[in-house]
Amino acid sequence: MPRPIVDEEECETNSVFHELPHQFAVCLITERTSFFPEHEKPEKSFERYFSDGDSGGLGSDDSDDDDDDDSDCSDRSKNSKDPEQGDGSKERPIKSSVVLPPKTVVTAPDGSTSNGTGVDTACGTAGSAWQVAPDEGDPVEQASRMNLRDWDPSLVIDKLYELKLMDEQVEDISHQFISMEGLMEKLPMNKKKATLLKTWKRRFFRAKDGWLYYYETSNRDRPSETIQLMGGNIIDLGNRVLGIDDGRGRYLMVRCPTEKEHGQWVVALESQTADNTKATYVRPALAAARHPKKFNIEVHLMGAIFSKVFQELKVKPTDYWVMLSTPQNLGDPLKQGLMQRLVDELNVAGVCMVQQALLSLYSYNATSGIIVDIGHRIEILPIFDGFVIEGGVARCPYGAQKVQESLTTSLLHLNYTFRSETEQLLVRYIMEQSCYVAIDYGPEEEFCKDQPQTIRTSVNLAKFKLPEGAYETVEHDLSRFKSPEGFFNVDLWEMDYPTLQKLIHRAIQTCPMDNRRHMWRAVFLSGGVSMLPGFAERLERELTKLAPPGVPVEVHAAPQRYHAAFVGACSVALMPQFEASAISREEWRKEGCRAFRKWQAPS
């Protein structure tokens, strides 16, 4: 059978031959069979054959001979016969959807070819492939295939899952909203007329961020009801009555106490009806500041603070021991961080850490008693022989702030409005200058109603050079002793916490039985709130009601109890045994955190 000319150079340089797997041979059969002898001409077109030189070819039966190699491939092509003739053996073809055009020349890298008019096979070597060359003048098309076996897809994965935010073209007009809060009367929701049972009720209202909230009192953590102002409508009904329609099926009628406040509420409410809904959508942040934890110490900032202290004192840290007051009993990781800043970085001689409540007790020159520390929060600690009895410790998350909130509400009834945090500083000043604790609240309240001018006092604010229009003086009467009354009657603050005297009674009950009588006479005050006039006397009176019959009660209130922790720290630092109770520089570098055992209570 004649063979077409093989362009061996082209076969060697063509990159397509390096795409097929190892030892694959391809047999291409077309319609035209003019080079076959008449008796070998197939009666129908064959499909593409694939065979493996080692395994006898894909599509062959497992019963085929396994010892066929690459040298047998050409023999098989020469001896190929019609499937219906020969020795009766049949090969199973693998069908393919690829149909070759007529007059094709097939060139293999080993020199085996077929011109498309007959059948010819060849066995390829590793990385070989077939090239199908069309007639002269037609463009040559090579079917190449990417090999991505060794490709690292990390770059495209990073791009596909790249974290990005879409651009937002929304204008936030919330800065145009006018916030306001105050007392108004209201009808029930969706009621437009007062009835015998559903009358006007006085509530505390707050308009903020496109919403109107109202509370039973201003001290409530959650509002009783809310109505959305954004997208709504404010209707002036006359006689200081406003109708608020949220445009969503809810309607609220409110009545302002004065004409002046009526005008202010109209301006404030109407400013918040502008639709700013899209600007209120939650916007994610790719990076956010870490949320601070309550009662935690930012250790990474303490090094700079300690350095500033020594710089202001103009002393060398290496020559001094440090007495460190801590807000509560710290864990070992926090202690370790503080020790690293003081000893490892500043190289101080030694450190002693003591809770500030215990130091407050030392300011009274005592080692056993009940410490009642009231500042921004309440902390009550029973201490016996210098060690805290943990079972009786009570900590409440309120204190002076609750007094300020109560005073702010009472002043609002008197048309004094203090809203911002800066204005709350003035409320604190008013509290410290004019508030006191009544010895007996009931009779004091009756006396105030009968003779308010006797209780009324005036606090001068002009000396603070406030801007024009600010209050120069503030006058109040009932709120002077009503604001701090919540410590002894929590119902006035609408809270569920136990009263102060019950917390102290509970702490005394956790002390050893033989020492309880002594504890009733060893209640020690510290903190700024305890400086209010009448506080110590009232607390002693309330504790006397809870004490066993015949047991005397004594509440100690040192004149310098505002700085009780600092005074106690100075007292401890002057004790002969101070250095023995501290962890020296050498101990820390030798034992590390194991040295903290020195500060633990004996078991």
Side-chain angles (χ1 to χ4, degrees), residues 81-120:
K81 298 181 180 181
D82 187 87
E84 303 296 334
Q85 302 175 1
D87 56 1
S89 62
K90 297 182 181 180
E91 292 186 0
R92 184 183 302 167
I94 299 179
K95 294 186 177 182
S96 172
S97 61
V98 178
V99 179
L100 293 178
K103 295 184 180 180
T104 58
V105 178
V106 182
T107 308
D110 63 349
S112 299
T113 63
S114 174
N115 67 348
T117 59
V119 178
D120 205 345

Side-chain angles (χ1 to χ4, degrees), residues 87-338:
D87 56 1
S89 62
K90 297 182 181 180
E91 292 186 0
R92 184 183 302 167
I94 299 179
K95 294 186 177 182
S96 172
S97 61
V98 178
V99 179
L100 293 178
K103 295 184 180 180
T104 58
V105 178
V106 182
T107 308
D110 63 349
S112 299
T113 63
S114 174
N115 67 348
T117 59
V119 178
D120 205 345
T121 61
C123 296
T125 57
S128 64
W130 290 88
Q131 179 186 16
V132 180
D135 292 340
E136 185 177 357
D138 293 340
V140 178
E141 296 182 2
Q142 299 178 355
S144 61
R145 180 180 179 182
M146 292 188 298
N147 184 7
L148 305 181
R149 181 174 57 186
D150 298 327
W151 174 61
D152 183 6
S154 58
L155 292 179
V156 69
I157 291 176
D158 292 342
K159 187 64 178 177
L160 290 174
Y161 294 97
E162 180 182 4
L163 186 61
K164 56 185 177 181
L165 299 181
M166 301 295 104
D167 295 333
E168 299 187 37
Q169 305 295 334
V170 179
E171 181 183 2
D172 188 0
I173 59 173
S174 59
H175 61 278
Q176 301 176 7
F177 292 171
I178 300 175
S179 300
M180 186 173 177
E181 60 184 18
L183 294 170
M184 290 190 296
E185 294 177 315
K186 61 170 285 293
L187 287 178
M189 188 70 70
N190 294 328
K191 296 296 181 182
K192 299 184 179 181
K193 184 178 179 180
T195 62
L196 182 62
L197 297 178
K198 298 180 179 180
T199 60
W200 294 95
K201 293 185 179 181
R202 192 177 180 89
R203 294 290 182 265
F204 180 83
F205 285 82
R206 177 180 290 120
K208 184 179 179 182
D209 299 332
W211 289 82
L212 180 64
Y213 309 87
Y214 61 87
Y215 308 77
E216 297 300 327
T217 68
S218 64
N219 293 331
R220 293 292 295 268
D221 295 332
R222 295 184 178 181
S224 302
E225 191 64 80
T226 61
I227 184 170
Q228 189 170 3
L229 299 175
M230 281 192 299
N233 188 26
I234 308 300
I235 306 171
D236 192 345
L237 302 176
N239 295 326
R240 306 191 309 276
V241 178
L242 298 176
I244 303 173
D245 184 0
D246 67 351
R248 300 165 179 83
R250 306 185 75 199
Y251 188 85
L252 180 66
M253 290 184 63
V254 296
R255 184 165 63 188
C256 304
T258 64
E259 290 292 342
K260 179 180 178 181
E261 291 183 80
H262 170 261
Q264 293 174 345
W265 275 110
V266 170
V267 174
L269 295 177
E270 287 184 346
S271 71
Q272 302 202 33
T273 57
D275 192 358
N276 194 41
T277 306
K278 293 184 178 180
T280 61
Y281 296 163
V282 177
R283 300 180 181 180
L286 295 180
R290 182 170 62 88
H291 293 282
K293 298 180 180 179
K294 292 184 177 181
F295 309 112
N296 196 19
I297 297 176
E298 302 290 347
V299 178
H300 64 281
L301 301 177
M302 295 305 298
I305 296 176
F306 292 146
S307 299
K308 181 65 175 178
V309 170
F310 286 112
Q311 182 181 351
E312 293 293 328
L313 294 175
K314 298 179 180 180
V315 297
K316 292 182 179 180
T318 56
D319 299 335
Y320 290 88
W321 297 70
V322 175
M323 176 72 234
L324 190 61
S325 170
T326 61
Q328 60 188 41
N329 189 21
L330 304 180
D332 287 352
L334 282 178
K335 291 179 182 178
Q336 181 182 5
L338 294 173

Side-chain angles (χ1 to χ4, degrees), residues 14 23 48 129 181 199-200 231 244-245 282 334 336 349-350 454 465 482 515 572 577-578:
N14 200 313
Q23 292 182 343
R48 180 177 298 179
E181 60 184 18
T199 60
W200 294 95
I244 303 173
D245 184 0
V282 177
L334 282 178
Q336 181 182 5
T454 306
K465 299 180 181 180
K482 181 181 179 181
N515 299 97
V572 172
Q577 61 270 28
F578 169 71

Side-chain angles (χ1 to χ4, degrees), residues 295-570:
F295 309 112
N296 196 19
I297 297 176
E298 302 290 347
V299 178
H300 64 281
L301 301 177
M302 295 305 298
I305 296 176
F306 292 146
S307 299
K308 181 65 175 178
V309 170
F310 286 112
Q311 182 181 351
E312 293 293 328
L313 294 175
K314 298 179 180 180
V315 297
K316 292 182 179 180
T318 56
D319 299 335
Y320 290 88
W321 297 70
V322 175
M323 176 72 234
L324 190 61
S325 170
T326 61
Q328 60 188 41
N329 189 21
L330 304 180
D332 287 352
L334 282 178
K335 291 179 182 178
Q336 181 182 5
L338 294 173
M339 291 294 292
Q340 289 173 346
R341 300 309 184 273
L342 288 169
V343 180
D344 297 341
E345 296 179 7
L346 297 177
N347 200 29
V348 299
V351 179
C352 182
M353 297 186 194
V354 183
Q355 294 185 56
Q356 65 181 22
L358 185 57
L359 293 175
S360 299
L361 181 62
Y362 290 147
S363 69
Y364 287 94
N365 198 23
T367 57
S368 298
I370 306 295
I371 283 292
V372 182
D373 185 17
I374 307 177
H376 285 288
R377 65 183 69 92
I378 297 175
E379 190 171 24
I380 299 175
L381 289 89
I383 301 174
F384 177 72
D385 200 16
F387 295 99
V388 178
I389 302 175
E390 295 294 340
V393 174
R395 294 185 177 93
C396 300
Y398 64 91
Q401 185 180 4
K402 270 299 179 183
V403 181
Q404 286 184 220
E405 289 181 1
S406 178
L407 180 58
T408 301
T409 305
S410 298
L411 293 177
L412 189 61
H413 286 272
L414 302 175
N415 293 326
Y416 295 107
T417 304
F418 298 93
R419 302 174 184 168
S420 66
E421 293 183 6
T422 304
E423 293 172 342
Q424 285 296 311
L425 296 175
L426 298 177
V427 177
R428 177 181 173 182
Y429 177 78
I430 296 171
M431 176 190 71
E432 294 180 355
Q433 295 298 315
S434 60
C435 288
Y436 68 93
V437 177
I439 301 299
D440 194 344
Y441 180 76
E444 191 80 5
E445 185 179 23
E446 293 296 328
F447 179 77
C448 182
K449 292 180 180 179
D450 296 339
Q451 303 182 28
Q453 68 280 0
T454 306
I455 305 296
R456 184 178 297 116
T457 186
S458 177
V459 180
N460 183 19
L461 303 178
K463 58 183 177 181
F464 297 117
K465 299 180 181 180
L466 300 176
E468 185 177 354
Y471 309 117
E472 295 185 356
T473 59
V474 173
E475 294 185 359
H476 64 130
D477 42 43
L478 177 64
S479 55
R480 293 184 61 192
F481 58 89
K482 181 181 179 181
S483 299
E485 182 63 23
F487 287 115
F488 309 98
N489 183 9
V490 293
D491 291 339
L492 294 177
W493 288 349
E494 298 183 353
M495 297 173 60
D496 295 330
Y497 288 94
T499 58
L500 184 63
Q501 60 269 24
K502 289 184 178 180
L503 292 174
I504 298 174
H505 176 262
R506 185 182 302 170
I508 294 176
Q509 293 301 110
T510 61
C511 296
M513 182 73 70
D514 298 338
N515 299 97
R516 292 178 186 176
R517 188 178 184 89
H518 167 73
M519 291 297 184
W520 282 107
R521 302 189 61 181
V523 179
F524 302 97
L525 298 181
S526 69
V529 176
S530 67
M531 299 293 294
L532 291 175
F535 188 92
E537 293 79 2
R538 173 66 181 278
L539 180 60
E540 185 173 306
R541 185 174 184 271
E542 296 295 335
L543 289 176
T544 301
K545 299 177 182 179
L546 299 176
V551 176
V553 176
E554 189 173 356
V555 176
H556 303 265
Q560 306 301 327
R561 60 186 179 275
Y562 191 93
H563 306 288
F566 176 77
V567 174
C570 296

